[in-house]
Amino acid sequence: KAGVTQTPRYLIKTRGQQVTLSCSPISGHRSVSWYQQTPGQGLQFLFEYFSETQRNKGNFPGRFSGRQFSNSRSEMNVSTLELGDSALYLCASSLDVGNTEAFFGQGTRLTVV
Amino acid sequence: GESVGLHLPTLSVQEGDNSIINCAYSNSASDYFIWYKQESGKGPQFIIDIRSNMDKRQGQRVTVLLNKTVKHLSLQIAATQPGDSAVYFCAETRGSGAGSYQLTFGKGTKLSVIP
């Protein structure tokens, strides 16, 4: 079966702009989590969605938001982009909330210039 | 501060030898500990997990050991192969109270296999 699909793979944006990233989880998976990966901070949890509800949120400013649709697909949005938002954004899907076996997509590489 | 950390940033191992990747944690309330492997250009891939009330768990060529006394986690890879070259992350989960489990990752150890 198809894995986790993230689009786009690469993105270049200008400071101050906003961006929307998309994630399609594995079919049948209902939980979607988002992570930011940078060389300095490593992998950091952004938020988790299940049944269209945000279940958990990491320590990121309100400029970072997300949502989940009824088909479990998820989007995350970053507004008023800053240079420090340049990172690999990873989406992970799991069968259910609390399932430790999360399957990650290849990520979206965001560069803010 | 970060509750999961790694002892060594890089590890070089001869092909065929066993690899041991270590991880220290500080949160005694963690429910599960998990190892992920990330190859260049790819997202992390689940390897194996261990529940906090266990000491050892084995998978295919991998063994995870948990020492709660010293809050130490290790991943042992038997007969290391070139395909094992990657960055390995330990992660821990704890419930948020809303039925959600947040993964907290360590910085990662880069494993290089020498042919």
Side-chain angles (χ1 to χ4, degrees), chain B residues 52-104:
Chain B
S52 59
N53 62 356
M54 298 172 64
D55 298 319
K56 180 180 180 179
R57 189 167 186 216
Q58 288 184 294
Q60 187 175 13
R61 278 201 310 120
V62 295
T63 301
V64 56
L65 298 177
L66 177 62
N67 186 329
K68 292 179 283 293
T69 302
V70 295
K71 296 183 181 177
H72 183 266
L73 183 72
S74 69
L75 176 71
Q76 299 178 3
I77 305 173
T80 312
Q81 303 168 359
D84 295 327
S85 293
V87 177
Y88 289 80
F89 294 95
C90 63
E92 52 106 0
T93 70
R94 62 188 97 157
S96 70
S100 170
Y101 281 77
Q102 170 181 333
L103 279 170
T104 301

Side-chain angles (χ1 to χ4, degrees), chain A residues 35 37 40 48 56 97-98 100, chain B residues 38 49 99-103 107:
Chain A
Y35 293 83
Q37 186 173 28
E48 179 182 19
N56 200 358
V97 172
T100 60
Chain B
Q38 187 174 24
D49 64 1
S100 170
Y101 281 77
Q102 170 181 333
L103 279 170
K107 291 291 188 188

Side-chain angles (χ1 to χ4, degrees), chain A residues 21-84:
Chain A
L21 311 181
S22 180
C23 172
S24 293
I26 291 172
S27 178
H29 284 196
R30 299 188 297 167
S31 174
V32 174
S33 299
W34 289 89
Y35 293 83
Q36 181 196 65
Q37 186 173 28
T38 59
Q41 298 299 316
L43 278 153
Q44 293 187 292
F45 173 77
L46 281 157
F47 23 66
E48 179 182 19
Y49 286 88
F50 179 80
S51 292
E52 302 177 66
T53 302
Q54 187 180 91
R55 294 301 182 103
N56 200 358
K57 190 178 192 301
N59 295 324
F60 279 82
R63 300 185 297 107
F64 292 80
S65 63
R67 59 178 176 168
Q68 186 181 34
F69 301 95
S70 58
N71 61 357
S72 295
R73 192 177 70 85
S74 177
E75 289 181 346
M76 69 162 281
N77 184 280
V78 188
S79 62
T80 320
L81 283 165
E82 300 176 1
L83 295 179

Side-chain angles (χ1 to χ4, degrees), chain A residues 81-112:
Chain A
L81 283 165
E82 300 176 1
L83 295 179
D85 297 333
S86 295
L88 180 66
Y89 289 88
L90 291 157
C91 166
S93 81
S94 55
L95 203 57
D96 207 338
V97 172
N99 191 310
T100 60
E101 189 169 359
F103 295 82
F104 283 81
Q106 288 188 287
T108 293
R109 172 74 62 185
L110 172 65
T111 302
V112 183

